[in-house]
Amino acid sequence: WAPLPAPALALALLGLAAAAGPRQTPALELAQELAEELWSAGLPGDLPELEPECRSLLAAFAEGSAALTDCLARRARPVRLCQGCHGHYRRLLAQYNSIARAVGNSSESHNCAKSILTSDRLHIVVTLSEFFNETWEAANCANCLKNNSEGLSNSTEEFLDLFNKSLTCFEHNLQGQGIDLSPNNYTEVCKNCNETYMKLNDLYNHLQRLNRQGGESAHSAHLCIDVEDAMNITRKLWSRTFNCSLPCSDTVPVIAVSSFILFLPIVFYLSSFLHSKQKKRILILPKRIQSNANLVNIQEKYS
Amino acid sequence: MANVAKKVSWSGRDRDDDEDGRVGETTPLLNGTGPGAAGSGRQLTPSSFLRIGQLSNVDLNEDIRELETEVPRQRPNEIPHNEKLLSLKYESLDYDNSENQLFLEEERRINHAAFRTVEIKRWVICAMIGILTGLVACFIDIVVENLAGLKYRLVKDNIDKFTAKGGLSFSLLLWATLNASVVMVGSVIVAFIEPVAAGSGIPQIKCYLNGVKIPHVVRLKTLVIKVCGVILSVVGGLAVGKEGPMIHSGSVIAAGISQGRSTSLKRDFKIFEYFRRDTEKRDFVSAGAAAGVSAAFGAPVGGVLFSLEEGASFWNQFLTWRIFFASMISTFTLNSVLSVYHGNAWDLSSPGLINFGRFDSEKMEYTIQEIPIFIFMGVVGGILGALFNALNYWLTMFRIRYIHRPCLQVVEAMLVAAVTATVGFVMIYCSRDCQPLQGSSVAYPLQLFCADGEYNSMATAFFNTPEKSVVNLFHDPPGSYNPMTLGMFTVMYFFLACWTYGLTVSAGVFIPSLLIGAAWGRLFGISLSYLTKSSIWADPGKYALMGAAAQLGGIVRMTLSLTVIMMEATGNVTYGFPIMLVLMTAKIVGDYFVEGLYDMHIQLQSVPFLHWEAPVTSHSLTAREVMSTPVTCLRRIERVGTVVDILSDTSSNHNGFPVVESNPDTTQAGWVPLGRGCSWGGPTRAGCSGDPHTRCLLQVAGLRGLILRSQLIVLLKHKVFVERTNLSLVQRRLKLKDFRDAYPRFPPIQSIHVSQDERECMIDLSEFMNPSPYTVPQEASLPRVFKLFRALGLRHLVVVDNRNEVVGMVTRKDLARYRLGKEGLEELSLAQT
């Protein structure tokens, strides 16, 4: 390219987008509208064009990202990102890859990757795709998907199954209790759902342990966000709302044993003070003209 | 000024020796007063003479009464241990090279190229020191990590089990017994096999670099015990660190490698023979200490400066450069091996045993208005450090006096371990501070009575190795600890650490100090952000770091090297300034109350340690008053029997003997009874007096040289006698190599057999003695003598009069006994320990 000034370049791109094919999407329509405005402003029409293939790739990417954003936002609370959006994410990844790999038909300058990804200061497509990747990494979704990212892994399915079970158990037991739930009345829940909850908890801990052994880097220390969040919700319900966590028990034996141990050193020091023979040092006479007399002199002098 | 008094007391003592102290002091006084009083203008009354003369033998305050009742020499010579003693156990290193004829010959024989190989060998040795120190550090780190992990997992599983079922007291018992048994093993090996491996080893290395020969301190056995001991005491859950002992380990490695052999293993690799003497060994030991610091903290420059701070009087540019090389190699070795161990081979992310983590986020930056706050923290650190030291002082004194039997020491260590576990358990049990689990930042999360998915925050501090706790305190996000937890933790850990230091286990005080400081520093940071309501510049991690620096500075009182070590450990140069300010303040405030922990322990061990300068008020003391006299001298050609007698005399276990040459008119006299000889001329008596039957050998005796006990022993062993040489019974001439081969463990004189005939032979010392020993005139002031002695690293300094006749001898103990105490200049007494 000739080093075009940045605004001119943007205009050029938009202009090219305007000459889109028949497959029109909202994004492309918008682009076309803008381009038309510019056309009407009397800009020259002989700018280099974005090739139709590239244009369609871009359009597909725009659609994909819109869908993924929508999915992510809708499933933010309670977190169901990985379960719900992995299809969108996979598709978007594929679209991005096809942009990055696609080569235009003619000269190198019309390479799609170059014109879409790197020809302006903003790199908007790259930024967007990076954002999605980072979110996906942070959520650690790969952890609960199958290796080829098609669908949830077996352990995750199992976990979610148990999770649903315990939720139903909670619901079931609470219904029996009626509506006015004072904090003390949860004992039923604690008793009845203990088994399911414990299973769930154990499975979670097991998954966590597996995960920690498998991965070395800091990221994979986490399970995927869906599982973590589900567990958090359950635990909060269990410990905070239902107050089922363990009571502080056996204080008396602990106090007894610890005071016994703490008492031992006192006995030890006292007995060694009373019974051990104090170590004596044997003074040696220094061979000196005059020993402490010097000191006496000095002290006399200074006093 | 006190010439008269001196002379009098001296002659009085002689007479005492002579007549076993039964005679009163009057006769010798009168005898002695003559020349002395004539020489000096000052007149004293006889009674004051008497008093001063007797004072020379006795302790000041106790014995005045005794003196007045005219019972000379009946003072108690057994006293309880106190800090005003110098032990006879410790001797000096021979830093000064003996330039005798053998040395000159060897130098002539070795050509220029050979000296170049010596230089290259030095570098090779330094590289090996670095590598081995790094490897030892890796070994310690890996073993501690695994064993401690095993222990904590075991206890955690147990606690988890019993939390559900009830019966947590069993977990407590399990934890306490585990700790106590591990510590027992660690303590047994130290107490019964190698007591010098106890503690952090920094005081011992400080003494070694200062020029004191601490028995066994750089032996292979010590290294093995030290390494195992450190591992066991850290795994045993004591409030200790593994960093301090690295310095000792590095030094032992250096001393071992540079000698090219191990006397413990009885293996001689026949390499590096040139370095078998104290001078070279000590240089390498300083490199080893630097490599140890460097491996411990990932601070190569800090290591060099540590050696510089502790042994600076024997320093030169090339040595510094070599030491730096050893340090760098050490930290690099540790780094690469640990990286491989952790699975990311080319990452090089763990340069030291303790890694403070990165302090480069924006919240960690400090602003100018925070500097007064840091200084205030320095003051707090100084006060707390002084408190720590004072408590530890009393405890150590008690230990030296009452807990001196090895079994008692082991029991004590076990009790401390059990109590440490108990305190930790009770704190965790009582704490209601639950924090949500965040990823895997907590190594061993203990849930106990917390809600599911949360962990006990007290447990991160207690239920962990101290290194990890420190890093957690620096880097856990704000809000991870509540103030109550931190406060309780600080108080408990302060006392535990104070109680632990000085036990008979190998363990360092660096990490506990850092941990205490980090805890209260974090508390301080949290309260600051409460007070100011603006959390912009009050990240508690930053204050935790400053608190740690302040506490450590308040306890150990190191300055330059500690600043650089902390700076390098944080990896942030901009922290240099506040850390320096904090350490300075902590030192100033702490020194106002009590001295540093290491100096305190050196003093309690009665080591004759020479500080940088002589006490400031000591200019009026002259060499005459400082020196030891009479000196046991040898003639240039001496009878073998005499030498053997002198060496075997246990009451005067001297190591250096001035070689003198008698005047022609008195040579044939040989044995001159003291009574006649010593009243024969003023200065002569001072020159060579003492017990007339064994030692007073000559009268007017010009100093010709100085010979060491070790050299004499080698000579006797090889039977280098004049008669045998004349009969050409000696196959070859003795070379310097023979002396080096015997180094450093010269056989005791008892093991050398000298027959009755041989006793009558003569021995010629002239080519073995150092012909140019350093001397000072009698009038030299103490600071002057001190400076010469300290700067040149001498072992013996001969005091001569204006006719070059030996008057006395200044050794390390003569200088070290003057100390600036609370009431001015104090004098320490010598004691057998």
Side-chain angles (χ1 to χ4, degrees):
Chain A
W1 299 73
L4 281 167
L9 199 65
L11 287 181
L13 265 179
L14 286 172
L16 297 172
R23 256 182 64 225
Q24 298 239 331
T25 60
L28 265 193
E29 272 168 25
L30 194 69
Q32 199 170 11
E33 274 170 33
L34 271 169
E36 272 162 10
E37 271 178 44
L38 294 166
W39 277 113
S40 60
L43 279 161
D46 57 351
L47 285 167
E49 283 187 83
L50 186 63
E51 302 206 357
E53 305 92 74
C54 298
R55 205 178 304 131
S56 64
L57 283 176
L58 186 61
F61 181 82
E63 267 177 89
S65 59
L68 182 57
T69 316
D70 182 66
C71 175
L72 290 179
R74 279 180 198 285
R75 286 158 191 276
R77 269 329 298 173
V79 187
R80 296 284 184 277
L81 299 182
C82 305
Q83 300 162 54
C85 310
H86 64 91
H88 290 290
Y89 176 70
R90 214 172 55 241
R91 273 195 292 283
L92 189 75
L93 211 61
Q95 282 156 355
Y96 180 77
N97 282 341
S98 58
I99 292 178
R101 248 182 282 117
V103 178
N105 54 357
S106 56
S107 65
E108 268 186 55
S109 62
H110 288 207
N111 177 339
C112 277
K114 206 169 181 182
S115 55
I116 294 177
L117 299 182
T118 58
S119 44
D120 58 294
R121 181 164 61 85
L122 215 50
H123 304 324
I124 195 76
V125 174
V126 178
T127 315
L128 276 178
S129 111
E130 264 171 15
F131 165 74
F132 288 123
N133 279 334
E134 272 165 23
T135 313
W136 207 249
E137 290 266 311
N140 212 6
C141 283
N143 198 281
C144 49
L145 298 177
K146 279 180 191 155
N147 274 345
N148 54 5
S149 335
E150 286 173 10
L152 298 172
S153 64
N154 293 337
S155 55
T156 318
E157 296 275 16
E158 195 187 344
F159 177 84
L160 290 176
D161 214 37
L162 258 179
F163 170 63
N164 288 334
K165 247 189 223 166
S166 34
L167 280 191
T168 23
C169 176
F170 291 167
E171 237 170 284
H172 206 72
N173 282 289
L174 287 180
Q175 273 173 358
Q177 299 241 332
I179 306 158
D180 52 339
L181 294 163
S182 64
N184 304 332
N185 287 349
Y186 287 119
T187 40
E188 277 296 297
V189 186
C190 294
K191 219 191 300 165
N192 295 339
C193 303
N194 192 24
E195 199 188 338
T196 340
Y197 175 75
M198 280 301 155
K199 257 194 214 161
L200 182 73
N201 211 5
D202 289 346
L203 179 62
Y204 181 78
N205 289 338
H206 174 70
L207 287 180
Q208 228 174 9
R209 213 167 311 132
L210 275 186
N211 190 35
R212 207 162 290 164
Q213 281 165 3
E216 289 292 326
S217 70
H219 239 302
S220 56
H222 289 278
L223 289 175
C224 83
I225 187 75
D226 290 21
V227 174
E228 270 184 352
D229 188 64
M231 196 65 222
N232 269 349
I233 290 171
T234 331
R235 278 174 168 174
K236 232 175 239 166
L237 272 176
W238 184 257
S239 317
R240 288 280 150 80
T241 319
F242 304 153
N243 216 0
C244 295
S245 54
L246 297 160
C248 179
S249 58
D250 52 29
T251 309
V252 177
V254 168
I255 289 178
V257 170
S258 54
S259 45
F260 170 69
I261 295 178
L262 294 179
F263 188 63
L264 285 177
I266 302 172
V267 175
F268 171 77
Y269 283 115
L270 266 183
S271 68
S272 55
F273 179 69
L274 295 175
H275 298 301
S276 183
K277 195 170 153 282
Q278 199 188 116
K279 195 160 210 173
K280 297 282 189 191
R281 305 296 189 197
I282 302 154
L283 277 186
I284 305 291
L285 204 61
K287 294 200 302 178
R288 203 153 286 128
I289 284 189
Q290 192 182 34
S291 165
N292 287 318
N294 308 326
L295 198 58
V296 174
N297 289 336
I298 288 167
Q299 279 170 352
E300 275 167 5
K301 245 186 271 175
Y302 282 86
S303 57
Chain B
M1 52 134 282
N3 269 350
V4 187
K6 267 169 274 155
K7 190 142 293 170
V8 168
S9 94
W10 157 74
S11 57
R13 181 113 43 83
D14 271 350
R15 185 58 67 180
D16 275 355
D17 282 338
D18 219 356
E19 296 165 17
D20 224 3
R22 279 183 301 272
V23 189
E25 300 264 331
T26 29
T27 332
L29 261 181
L30 288 178
N31 278 355
T33 327
S40 133
R42 186 159 168 185
Q43 284 292 339
L44 295 168
T45 61
S47 70
S48 78
F49 275 151
L50 179 66
R51 185 161 153 254
I52 292 165
Q54 280 171 331
L55 268 177
S56 68
N57 309 327
V58 290
D59 231 16
L60 268 176
N61 29 10
E62 283 178 32
D63 296 289
I64 304 279
R65 187 169 305 252
E66 229 176 302
L67 294 174
E68 281 159 4
T69 54
E70 285 286 321
V71 195
R73 298 235 161 211
Q74 292 297 312
R75 74 205 142 52
N77 59 354
E78 275 205 347
I79 55 156
H81 184 88
N82 62 40
E83 82 280 15
K84 291 179 186 172
L85 291 176
L86 288 182
S87 171
L88 282 188
K89 192 167 62 176
Y90 302 111
E91 287 165 8
S92 281
L93 296 169
D94 290 304
Y95 196 75
D96 186 34
N97 202 5
S98 172
E99 288 180 355
N100 54 16
Q101 284 185 27
L102 297 185
F103 176 78
L104 295 178
E105 272 167 31
E106 189 190 65
E107 201 173 73
R108 226 171 290 137
R109 209 170 43 242
I110 297 179
N111 53 11
H112 186 67
F115 273 109
R116 206 169 281 164
T117 39
V118 165
E119 191 59 30
I120 290 169
K121 275 183 193 163
R122 286 205 178 101
W123 284 93
V124 172
I125 291 174
C126 280
M128 283 164 67
I129 291 170
I131 292 172
L132 277 181
T133 310
L135 289 180
V136 166
C138 288
F139 174 74
I140 294 178
D141 192 56
I142 292 171
V143 174
V144 164
E145 198 181 308
N146 286 321
L147 286 184
L150 197 69
K151 186 191 90 174
Y152 284 121
R153 268 195 299 280
L154 197 69
V155 177
K156 180 181 145 54
D157 288 348
N158 192 280
I159 288 180
D160 286 348
K161 199 171 84 191
F162 281 113
T163 316
K165 288 201 297 194
L168 272 173
S169 46
F170 292 108
S171 315
L172 166 59
L173 275 178
L174 174 78
W175 191 4
T177 352
L178 262 181
N179 273 9
S181 43
V182 172
V183 169
M184 184 185 80
V185 180
S187 178
V188 162
I189 56 173
V190 172
F192 287 99
I193 302 180
E194 194 57 275
V196 83
S200 74
I202 296 179
Q204 282 89 332
I205 295 306
K206 257 182 105 152
C207 292
Y208 190 91
L209 293 179
N210 191 268
V212 185
K213 184 192 235 157
I214 310 266
H216 295 199
V217 77
V218 287
R219 291 204 182 164
L220 182 68
K221 193 168 81 176
T222 315
L223 175 68
V224 174
I225 301 295
K226 190 110 208 169
V227 169
C228 299
V230 165
I231 291 172
L232 290 169
S233 46
V234 175
V235 170
L238 290 176
V240 297
K242 55 190 186 308
E243 277 65 17
M246 264 324 292
I247 296 162
H248 191 173
S249 305
S251 310
V252 181
I253 290 169
I257 292 181
S258 63
Q259 303 303 298
R261 68 171 167 191
S262 158
T263 22
S264 301
L265 297 181
K266 305 204 169 40
R267 287 287 299 275
D268 190 343
F269 298 101
K270 307 270 180 206
I271 45 171
F272 306 140
E273 280 164 337
Y274 185 80
F275 302 121
R276 290 179 189 173
R277 55 182 179 214
D278 280 345
T279 321
E280 299 284 349
K281 193 162 157 186
R282 189 153 129 206
D283 286 354
F284 287 116
V285 166
S286 55
V293 176
S294 155
F297 299 95
V301 183
V304 174
L305 291 176
F306 174 83
S307 286
L308 180 73
E309 220 175 327
E310 304 309 340
S313 45
F314 320 102
W315 207 260
N316 64 49
Q317 192 190 350
F318 302 110
L319 180 61
T320 316
W321 185 224
R322 269 203 306 276
I323 291 177
F324 185 65
F325 176 70
S327 290
M328 274 296 181
I329 295 271
S330 157
T331 177
F332 181 77
T333 310
L334 178 78
N335 204 341
S336 41
V337 175
L338 278 190
S339 306
V340 171
Y341 175 73
H342 291 310
N344 26 8
W346 312 113
D347 175 9
L348 299 185
S349 58
S350 38
L353 287 183
I354 170 122
N355 202 344
F356 289 175
R358 304 214 58 80
F359 280 85
D360 45 11
S361 71
E362 267 181 30
K363 285 215 157 184
M364 292 291 196
E365 280 166 12
Y366 63 95
T367 53
I368 291 178
Q369 55 265 41
E370 284 177 270
I371 285 176
I373 302 177
F374 291 151
I375 291 177
F376 175 73
M377 292 183 81
V379 173
V380 175
I383 292 171
L384 285 180
L387 181 66
F388 185 99
N389 291 1
L391 287 176
N392 195 262
Y393 174 85
W394 290 114
L395 195 59
T396 310
M397 193 62 104
F398 181 84
R399 279 176 179 151
I400 292 176
R401 285 185 185 172
Y402 293 102
I403 307 178
H404 43 80
R405 297 224 311 274
C407 357
L408 283 182
Q409 291 171 337
V410 172
V411 173
E412 192 194 12
M414 285 172 67
L415 285 177
V416 174
V419 168
T420 308
T422 312
V423 168
F425 188 88
V426 170
M427 301 289 281
I428 293 172
Y429 187 87
C430 297
S431 162
R432 289 289 167 271
D433 178 12
C434 296
Q435 302 289 344
L437 271 172
Q438 291 166 333
S440 59
S441 66
V442 189
Y444 314 103
L446 267 189
Q447 186 185 351
L448 224 65
F449 305 119
C450 285
D452 283 348
E454 295 187 343
Y455 64 93
N456 191 309
S457 149
M458 186 66 98
T460 42
F462 266 117
F463 199 67
N464 213 335
T465 53
E467 283 91 356
K468 298 232 174 70
S469 307
V470 172
V471 178
N472 286 345
L473 283 171
F474 286 161
H475 289 293
D476 278 356
S480 305
Y481 300 88
N482 79 30
M484 186 64 196
T485 309
L486 283 176
M488 288 302 292
F489 176 76
T490 310
V491 173
M492 295 319 294
Y493 211 81
F494 183 87
F495 289 110
L496 281 179
C498 188
W499 189 21
T500 309
Y501 189 78
L503 282 180
T504 319
V505 294
S506 324
V509 76
F510 266 83
I511 296 296
S513 318
L514 286 174
L515 188 51
I516 298 165
W520 65 255
R522 197 169 173 110
L523 186 63
F524 189 83
I526 292 173
S527 28
L528 259 190
S529 60
Y530 273 128
L531 285 178
T532 55
K533 304 245 185 295
S534 64
S535 54
I536 307 162
W537 43 267
D539 184 87
K542 182 172 54 184
Y543 290 96
L545 176 69
M546 292 303 157
Q551 183 68 54
L552 186 55
I555 290 176
V556 303
R557 312 281 164 75
M558 279 151 57
T559 46
L560 170 62
S561 55
L562 193 55
T563 309
V564 178
I565 288 173
M566 295 288 287
M567 213 163 80
E568 287 184 288
T570 52
N572 191 328
V573 181
T574 48
Y575 276 170
F577 182 66
I579 287 176
M580 182 189 76
L581 286 180
V582 161
L583 288 174
M584 266 166 79
T585 344
K587 183 173 165 61
I588 292 167
V589 173
D591 280 347
Y592 181 77
F593 298 106
V594 59
E595 59 187 328
L597 189 67
Y598 295 142
D599 292 326
M600 202 179 83
H601 274 262
I602 288 173
Q603 221 174 74
L604 282 172
Q605 293 300 315
S606 317
V607 180
F609 188 85
L610 294 184
H611 292 275
W612 297 109
E613 300 278 340
V616 279
T617 57
S618 59
H619 282 272
S620 58
L621 284 171
T622 60
R624 254 187 85 78
E625 293 152 289
V626 171
M627 70 191 184
S628 293
T629 192
V631 182
T632 314
C633 310
L634 294 172
R635 284 172 300 178
R636 206 163 57 77
I637 297 173
E638 183 61 272
R639 215 170 58 91
V640 173
T642 318
V643 174
V644 173
D645 288 340
I646 286 173
L647 290 182
S648 355
D649 183 4
T650 46
S651 68
S652 62
N653 189 23
H654 300 310
N655 269 296
F657 303 94
V659 178
V660 291
E661 198 154 40
S662 321
N663 272 0
D665 55 329
T666 50
T667 347
Q668 72 274 22
W671 296 90
V672 184
L674 181 73
R676 187 167 71 88
C678 288
S679 57
W680 179 60
T684 320
R685 268 182 301 163
C688 190
S689 52
D691 189 354
H693 305 299
T694 57
R695 262 180 275 146
C696 186
L697 305 174
L698 53 129
Q699 308 320 310
V700 179
L703 176 68
R704 293 291 177 271
L706 186 81
I707 193 148
L708 301 173
R709 167 182 287 262
S710 56
Q711 291 172 319
L712 287 174
I713 283 182
V714 174
L715 292 182
L716 288 178
K717 200 173 138 199
H718 289 88
K719 304 201 187 301
V720 190
F721 307 143
V722 178
E723 283 78 4
R724 285 164 61 89
T725 323
N726 292 346
L727 297 171
S728 55
L729 280 172
V730 184
Q731 284 87 356
R732 59 181 181 86
R733 290 199 55 223
L734 221 51
K735 284 186 191 152
L736 212 51
K737 185 176 178 306
D738 298 302
F739 291 94
R740 285 194 192 127
D741 283 345
Y743 178 84
R745 298 191 206 174
F746 296 102
I749 180 71
Q750 287 79 12
S751 71
I752 291 169
H753 179 72
V754 177
S755 71
Q756 206 58 42
D757 291 344
E758 284 168 339
R759 283 181 69 87
E760 295 307 319
C761 294
M762 301 303 275
I763 189 164
D764 186 358
L765 303 177
S766 35
E767 59 177 331
F768 306 109
M769 69 185 187
N770 182 3
S772 53
Y774 291 97
T775 58
V776 283
Q778 305 178 60
E779 290 75 24
S781 71
L782 172 61
R784 211 171 173 75
V785 175
F786 193 98
K787 217 171 278 172
L788 184 68
F789 200 90
R790 175 80 162 88
L792 294 175
L794 298 183
R795 185 174 186 180
H796 304 103
L797 184 55
V798 185
V799 182
V800 294
D801 65 3
N802 45 15
R803 279 181 287 174
N804 198 31
E805 286 161 9
V806 179
V807 180
M809 177 92 95
V810 175
T811 58
R812 174 172 284 269
K813 281 168 204 125
D814 299 321
L815 293 174
R817 66 199 171 100
Y818 294 101
R819 211 181 56 187
L820 210 52
K822 293 222 163 44
E823 303 94 30
L825 202 60
E826 293 177 331
E827 202 180 318
L828 314 179
S829 21
L830 289 176
Q832 194 112 49
T833 52

